[in-house]
């Protein structure tokens, strides 16, 4: 099943289905192998597969596999919860991994909901300039508002200007 899956499957969803089945039939190592290969594929539900692999590998004491899967989950769907999962697993490697994840976010152009998730991560790490860059590039209230709330004390001038920018179209 492992060999066939690696050779013939192409989507993270398919790999997840096979991995879950293998685990349910008491083949946890085979399930991890299939899932590890699946996270190298692009497609829908890659984040779900990576989260599943992260959690299963962690529970089996496979910390290196769990960390790689956590990073894959974050890169597939950058969010604060995914970021914190990586932080929890990285231990003494956290500073290096942290730097890589923040660089990944800086190089990624977010849209819609993803932009607010990026802002959350940057605010969590007190990376205010990066949060401002994302908020200004998207200019959506759902992204700007949390940034303003978090930076009222740190960057009051920016917060005031951002509020004015959001209000002006309504006022006019």
């Amino acid at each position: 099943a492992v060999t066939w899956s690696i050779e013939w499957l192409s989507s993270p969803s398919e790999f997840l289905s096979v991995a879950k089945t293998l685990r349910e039939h008491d083949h946890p190592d085979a399930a991890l192998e299939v899932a590890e290969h699946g996270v190298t594929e692009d497609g829908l539900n890659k984040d779900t597969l990576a989260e599943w692999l992260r959690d299963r590998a962690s529970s089996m004491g496979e910390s290196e596999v769990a960390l790689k899967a956590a990073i894959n989950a974050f890169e597939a769907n950058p969010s604060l919860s995914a970021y914190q999962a990586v932080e929890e697993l990285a231990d003494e490697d956290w500073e290096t991994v942290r730097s890589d994840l923040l660089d990944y976010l800086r190089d990624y152009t977010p849209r819609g909901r993803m932009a607010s998730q990026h802002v959350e991560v940057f605010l969590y790490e007190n990376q205010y300039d990066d949060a401002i860059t994302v908020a200004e590039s998207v200019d959506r209230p759902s992204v700007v508002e949390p940034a303003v709330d978090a930076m009222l004390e740190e960057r009051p001038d920016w917060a005031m200007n951002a509020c004015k920018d959001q209000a002006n179209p309504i006022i006019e």
Side-chain angles (χ1 to χ4, degrees), residues 9-69:
L9 299 181
S10 61
S11 77
S13 295
E14 294 170 330
F15 281 101
L16 179 58
S17 179
V18 172
K20 284 181 174 181
T21 301
L22 286 167
R23 186 166 188 272
E24 288 169 5
H25 288 90
D26 206 25
H27 297 285
D29 293 329
L32 287 188
E33 187 176 347
V34 167
E36 275 186 272
H37 186 78
V39 296
T40 66
E41 301 290 333
D42 288 326
L44 292 175
N45 297 320
K46 182 175 181 173
D47 58 328
T48 305
L49 172 61
E51 289 169 1
W52 184 89
L53 175 59
R54 175 196 69 207
D55 295 343
R56 295 317 157 284
S58 182
S59 71
M60 293 173 64
E62 297 285 342
S63 57
E64 187 174 315
V65 173
L67 178 58
K68 286 180 185 176

Side-chain angles (χ1 to χ4, degrees), residues 35-147:
E36 275 186 272
H37 186 78
V39 296
T40 66
E41 301 290 333
D42 288 326
L44 292 175
N45 297 320
K46 182 175 181 173
D47 58 328
T48 305
L49 172 61
E51 289 169 1
W52 184 89
L53 175 59
R54 175 196 69 207
D55 295 343
R56 295 317 157 284
S58 182
S59 71
M60 293 173 64
E62 297 285 342
S63 57
E64 187 174 315
V65 173
L67 178 58
K68 286 180 185 176
I71 292 168
N72 278 316
F74 176 80
E75 290 176 350
N77 185 14
S79 67
L80 182 56
S81 61
Y83 183 82
Q84 290 171 324
V86 176
E87 181 180 17
E88 185 177 310
L89 293 168
D91 293 327
E92 65 272 352
D93 295 331
W94 174 238
E95 285 307 312
T96 302
V97 173
R98 174 187 174 270
S99 177
D100 291 344
L101 295 180
L102 292 174
D103 286 344
Y104 176 82
L105 283 184
R106 288 180 190 110
D107 293 340
Y108 189 101
T109 304
R111 296 189 182 145
R113 192 190 79 175
M114 288 282 227
S116 64
Q117 292 174 326
H118 285 212
V119 167
E120 285 180 342
V121 172
F122 286 133
L123 292 174
Y124 176 77
E125 287 294 346
N126 298 321
Q127 301 292 312
Y128 300 120
D129 291 335
D130 293 317
I132 288 169
T133 298
V134 173
E136 288 177 345
S137 71
V138 176
D139 195 36
R140 295 178 66 178
S142 62
V143 177
V144 174
E145 186 178 328

